[in-house]
């Protein structure tokens, strides 16, 4: 099948046949005129280019996704007085939900300036929690409001109009995409979105570039479609341009089992899962230049973007001093976040995945994808023939909160509070890990890799002996780089210092230590599950030996869920058990 | 990869790594012990067998879907006092939704006994509509209730426990599956569920058996995965056993471009979309026997099951007399519905798809799949790596309504009312179509195919001249079989009677008539879009000629959405325009 012939003009509204009914695609606020957006944009003083032609990236599957042959119906559906007997839509009168009300936290529920994890908890206990009560009706007299009769009806790939409009404007103002004709597509959560993006752009047997440590569900999503991870070296800032350039410049299909040079990069650039690494703007520019050079599509999965809390300040008393006295302005807040790849993208080769999972709630199963109009149209067809629209309950409730209650400025205020909450959580866990390892304060250098040494390498005052180079110096057993936010500390365990290291595999030692921690009531994630070069991961085998081994193993420790007291207790147990483990 | 090796023991709870966190799979109420269900069932006097081994039906993709290697974590997660720092779950305190309230129609809002479409509308206008107001809290003191803190958190493939339990019990009591170890899996809507079922059971290039007229989105869902429709002949009761037997017994891959004999049947057995045909129990038995004979998996997509309204009674005054005076008992109601294939299924080869789209609301994007434990486990893995759980907002609100407000009996009462609503709607449209064609009452025979004849073939009293065989008799131009419920009338247009029939293609005539109707404000669905033998449908070409042609074309007319007045007006326009069209 000739792909180009099956791809419709995305400037036309399409008609989808959801559940056998014919419903007009609700027009995305910007999408209807996307084909002429540059003209409009230029008229409006917008000098951004449109996306270049990237149609050669579409997969065979994407090209074979069908468009309704009944687009010609659309015009008739809008005809005044039309009697609609085409679609099998249940009447809204038979939906049992007459109205849905939500009691939601005030947008400024979480302080942004004050260090202190317990502040909100205190206000909650004291009964001062501020909430707003609002209602969505099946048939609201105010026709500009969300109507449950629409939200709970069959929807279209474009999504509920007020939410779609909010999302498009949010994307424009926050990420400032480099192309004028970018589009946003509401999705049913990042995992589903990524699977559809990958199969829209890759054929079975293709490679997917990814960080050497990455979110395993992203790989699991595309593995059954025959897509294989191709790993990129990382440092403390994430994947490296040098590693990417070296890999792609030297790519030889003959040495790779016939695999063509990968065209898709899956990356988590901010507070990366699992390593916590955040990429600088300079590095993003270098990676983007390589993407242009090697014709790579960058898929930016960025769930932790608004959890960018800034560098860890090791001295608690310095924290308040460094913080602004008032809540930062919207401009200051947005400037504090490393720009998205979208901003650098003058060709339309960035596909960005946003989610409400971390900023509203994971159960929403709601987010959006931002990309060029060609890819967006194919992704909408993929949604139509699977999940259809995201759940109308989720679209109505999240849309009601964002578009009708909070608005753009209100949501930014909420995000500032969320960011502060994760900053305090990060500080709590990092403080506790340093405390439990009896590290002296002078080791708390911002941005540095913190190191734990065994207790018996301390001097008589209890201070660490830190002669790293010295032959008789202490054994470095743990280290980590404090993350700039997000949810995770990536703890490196230097198993090469373990007495059994020469006889046992690192993975074996890792699982022994992990099990020991679990038996002492601390559950962390073993790093092996995030190892993209060993994907799919095999269950750990205790009897597997390796005489030589890299020697480092990892644990991912989450500071997102546990209370401060739990984090402190866990850090204490980790310090004790690790030390005991290395004495064994 | 050896498939069998990757398929875990489904009796174990699995641990999923959703969004990088590790969360225990909430146990399905029945699934944990499914491997021992027969033993339990027999102890409890349940003589049903377990499913036979059908693992040879699993596709390569299904076999390559990954199971988390960290199932061993699960035991630790349940450990009292465990400090959970493994999963990246946001704390529920940061979810903005403190509580969600719903105002829902009372379960008995719709009368079941009274014929009269306007009854409820009247009660609504009169302000007598009864509603219940209920609330779901983030942290409810009653721990047996749905907690938003759980529903809006990352969920698992098993779904929200109270909803999952309700669904499993509902399936057991209503459908009475023939195997003891059946399982139910919550899904994100039928379209997504069907796509996952198809790719779990078929490899690219495989054929999918389906009715010759079918729901086009079902075909569009699986087309990009390389699955091709193989059509089965239908009569007024749906697909025929003879057609299926003939097709499969004579199957020759060499005559089919190498396609192996299809192993999957996609069928809509009740109030079929688009034909409205409902299959009898006897026919289901015959089809099931053929499925056993040819080792076919039956995928029963049954969205209209509870809209089975019974036969059309042509004489309005007979309707009330035929109806019971009181609302039917639960036993009478369930007995009035043709049994599901599940009930006949003693081997576990039926996969049933249920949806809340027609009985609650389409925007829920929520339903469930019932099948054997092997398939269920693979479908859960497919969900985990794409949609994850269905939206928590939908699960909480539908779960709250069904499991906490209505309960089993309450939902049955609601379904009786919904069924009556669709019965009245069906009667309204069929009455109007017959009226508009000036058919005399004696043509209104229950179960018969109604026929419209051109007006000029009437006798002096206005009665139809019905000498079908007579050479000089009237021209039969329209006919249909009144559906036993559902949403659709499938109107057959006898284009062979059109003056231009010898010179023009039927599809051309159909689109001309369809366009004429649309220009007179009646929008129906042209039958061509449901033609599985011409899938994917090409856009109609007006200049395409065919000298010979089968001569019959179809329109699908929905009675689900329009008001009675709109249906009457539409029927009138159809009668007028069709007659004019045939005089042309």
């Amino acid at each position: 099948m000739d792909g180009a012939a099956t791809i419709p003009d995305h400037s036309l509204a399409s008609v989808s046949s959801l559940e056998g009914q014919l419903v007009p695609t609700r027009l995305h606020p910007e999408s209807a005129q996307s084909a002429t957006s540059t003209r409009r944009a230029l008229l409006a003083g917008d000098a951004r280019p449109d996306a270049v032609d990237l149609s050669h990236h579409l997969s065979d599957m994407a090209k074979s996704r069908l468009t309704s042959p009944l687009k010609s119906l659309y015009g008739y559906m809008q005809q005044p007085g039309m009697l609609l007997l085409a679609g099998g839509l249940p009447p809204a009168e038979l939906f049992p939900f007459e109205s849905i009300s939500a009691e939601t936290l005030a947008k400024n529920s979480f302080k942004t300036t004050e260090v202190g994890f317990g502040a909100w908890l205190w206000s909650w206990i004291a009964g001062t929690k501020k909430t707003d009560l609002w209602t969505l009706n099946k048939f609201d007299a105010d026709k500009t409001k969300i109507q449950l009769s629409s939200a709970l009806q069959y929807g279209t790939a474009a999504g509920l109009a007020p939410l779609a409009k909010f999302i498009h404007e949010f994307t424009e103002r926050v990420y400032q995409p480099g192309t004028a004709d970018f589009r946003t597509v509401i999705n049913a959560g990042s995992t589903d979105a990524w699977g559809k993006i990958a199969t829209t752009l890759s054929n079975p047997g293709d490679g997917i570039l990814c960080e050497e440590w990455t979110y395993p569900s992203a790989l699991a999503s595309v593995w059954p479609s025959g897509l294989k991870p191709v790993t990129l070296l990382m440092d403390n800032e994430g994947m490296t341009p040098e590693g990417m350039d070296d890999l792609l410049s030297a790519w030889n299909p003959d040495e790779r089992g016939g695999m063509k040079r990968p065209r898709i990069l899956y990356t988590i650039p901010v507070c990366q899962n699992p390593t916590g690494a955040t990429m600088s703007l300079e590095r993003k520019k270098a990676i983007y230049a390589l993407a242009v050079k090697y014709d790579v599509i960058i898929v930016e999965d960025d769930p932790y973007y608004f959890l960018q809390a800034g560098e860890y300040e090791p001295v608690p008393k310095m924290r308040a001093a460094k913080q602004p006295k008032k809540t930062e302005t919207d401009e200051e807040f947005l400037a504090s976040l490393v720009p998205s790849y979208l901003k650098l993208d003058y060709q339309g080769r960035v596909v960005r995945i946003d989610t409400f999972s971390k900023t509203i709630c994971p159960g929403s199963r709601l987010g959006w994808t931002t990309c060029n109009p060609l890819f967006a149209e194919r992704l909408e067809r993929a949604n139509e023939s699977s999940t259809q629209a995201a759940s109308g309950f989720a679209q109505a409730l999240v849309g009601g909160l964002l578009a009708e209650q909070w608005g753009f400025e209100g949501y930014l205020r909420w995000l500032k509070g969320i960011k502060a909450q994760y900053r305090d959580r990060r500080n709590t866990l990092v403080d506790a890990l340093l405390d439990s390892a009896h590290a002296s304060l002078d080791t708390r250098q911002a941005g540095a890799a913190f190191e734990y040494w065994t207790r018996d390498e301390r001097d008589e005052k209890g201070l660490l002996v830190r002669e790293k180079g010295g032959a008789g110096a202490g054994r470095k057993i743990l280290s980590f780089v404090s993350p700039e936010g997000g949810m995770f500390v990536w703890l490196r365990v230097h198993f090469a210092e373990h007495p059994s290291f020469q006889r046992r595999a690192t993975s074996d030692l890792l699982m022994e230590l992990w099990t020991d921690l679990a038996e002492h009531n601390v559950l962390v994630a073993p790093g092996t599950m995030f190892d993209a070069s060993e994907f799919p991961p095999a269950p750990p085998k205790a009897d597997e030996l390796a005489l030589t081994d890299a020697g480092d193993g990892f644990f991912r420790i989450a500071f997102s869920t546990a209370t401060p007291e739990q984090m402190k207790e866990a850090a204490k147990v980790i310090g004790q058990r690790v030390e005991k483990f290395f004495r064994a």
Side-chain angles (χ1 to χ4, degrees), chain A residues 323-344:
Chain A
Q323 300 233 343
K325 296 285 173 278
K326 287 167 41 174
T327 296
E328 54 204 340
T329 66
D330 291 352
E331 291 68 32
E332 288 165 347
F333 172 60
L334 295 177
S336 77
L337 309 171
V338 179
S340 160
Y341 274 112
L342 280 181
K343 190 169 182 177
L344 312 177

Side-chain angles (χ1 to χ4, degrees), chain A residues 535-567:
Chain A
F535 192 86
K541 290 176 190 164
D543 57 350
E544 187 181 78
L545 293 178
L547 285 177
T548 60
D549 205 302
D552 286 351
F554 297 88
F555 293 125
R556 193 193 71 175
I557 311 178
F559 51 83
S560 57
T561 319
T563 65
E565 292 67 35
Q566 289 173 327
M567 286 194 254

Side-chain angles (χ1 to χ4, degrees), chain A residues 203-449:
Chain A
N203 290 313
D206 282 356
I208 301 284
L209 297 169
C210 64
E211 282 112 1
E212 59 181 318
W213 302 99
T214 194
Y215 173 46
S217 290
L219 305 182
S221 291
V222 303
W223 180 263
S225 298
L227 308 184
K228 314 291 182 197
V230 176
T231 57
L232 295 168
L233 293 176
M234 300 176 78
D235 63 14
N236 290 346
E237 214 183 277
M239 56 172 285
T240 67
E242 297 75 22
M244 181 171 168
D245 201 9
D246 289 349
L247 180 89
L248 296 180
S249 65
W251 191 271
N252 182 347
D254 295 338
E255 295 168 358
R256 298 277 183 167
M259 183 189 284
K260 283 180 280 193
R261 198 175 69 198
R263 298 177 294 101
I264 314 296
L265 165 63
Y266 172 82
T267 181
I268 310 168
V270 171
C271 304
Q272 203 246 2
N273 184 358
T275 67
T278 296
M279 198 174 271
S280 67
L281 174 60
E282 287 63 40
R283 185 168 292 192
K284 281 184 177 167
K285 285 180 178 171
I287 301 282
Y288 185 80
L290 290 172
V292 172
K293 178 178 175 185
Y294 292 107
D295 190 20
V296 166
I297 304 296
I298 297 176
V299 182
E300 176 180 52
D301 187 7
D302 215 351
Y304 312 107
Y305 189 75
F306 297 103
L307 312 187
Q308 288 182 66
E311 280 191 352
Y312 173 72
E313 163 53 53
V315 185
K317 65 183 175 186
M318 295 295 291
R319 287 175 197 159
K322 278 193 176 177
Q323 300 233 343
K325 296 285 173 278
K326 287 167 41 174
T327 296
E328 54 204 340
T329 66
D330 291 352
E331 291 68 32
E332 288 165 347
F333 172 60
L334 295 177
S336 77
L337 309 171
V338 179
S340 160
Y341 274 112
L342 280 181
K343 190 169 182 177
L344 312 177
D345 182 24
Y346 60 92
Q347 293 193 319
R349 64 171 65 250
V350 171
V351 181
R352 182 183 167 85
I353 309 174
D354 273 279
T355 178
F356 291 116
S357 287
K358 318 301 187 209
T359 59
I360 303 290
C361 59
S364 64
R365 298 289 80 219
L366 194 66
W368 74 98
T369 305
T370 306
C371 60
N372 68 55
L374 179 78
F375 294 176
E377 190 278 337
R378 289 288 91 187
L379 291 173
E380 287 188 351
R381 296 295 83 70
N383 283 340
E384 273 171 14
S385 60
S386 59
T387 48
Q388 301 188 1
S391 168
F393 287 114
Q395 291 199 74
L397 283 161
V398 174
L401 181 62
L402 297 184
E404 297 187 351
Q405 298 302 311
W406 284 349
F408 179 75
E409 285 78 12
Y411 186 41
L412 285 194
R413 176 59 189 84
W414 173 261
L415 291 173
K416 292 173 200 172
I418 296 291
K419 162 181 144 173
Q421 288 287 313
Y422 281 93
R423 180 190 64 211
D424 292 353
R425 290 181 159 274
R426 187 267 320 267
N427 291 347
T428 299
L429 179 61
V430 174
D431 284 353
L433 285 171
L434 294 178
D435 285 346
S436 78
H438 302 278
S440 62
L441 282 181
D442 65 286
T443 70
R444 299 188 170 189
Q445 294 162 28

Side-chain angles (χ1 to χ4, degrees), chain A residues 2 38 46 57 78 82 104 154 167 173 182 195 242 246 263 269 309 327 364 373 379 397 449 521 527 532 534 559 573:
Chain A
D2 178 58
T38 303
D46 184 343
H57 282 285
Q78 306 295 307
M82 181 61 89
T104 48
Y154 283 108
I167 280 173
R173 293 175 70 174
F182 77 93
E242 297 75 22
D246 289 349
R263 298 177 294 101
T327 296
S364 64
L379 291 173
L397 283 161
N521 272 359
E534 295 285 343
F559 51 83
V573 171

Side-chain angles (χ1 to χ4, degrees), chain A residues 68-116:
Chain A
S68 169
L70 292 162
K71 286 202 293 183
S72 55
L73 278 182
Y74 180 70
Y76 287 114
M77 285 194 193
Q78 306 295 307
Q79 190 168 298
M82 181 61 89
L83 301 167
L84 297 169
L85 289 87
L89 285 74
E93 286 76 7
L94 299 189
F95 303 168
F97 291 88
E98 290 289 301
S99 72
I100 298 176
S101 302
E103 183 195 6
T104 48
L105 293 174
K107 62 190 176 190
N108 59 353
S109 291
F110 301 108
K111 296 189 176 180
T112 63
T113 52
E114 189 179 323
V115 175

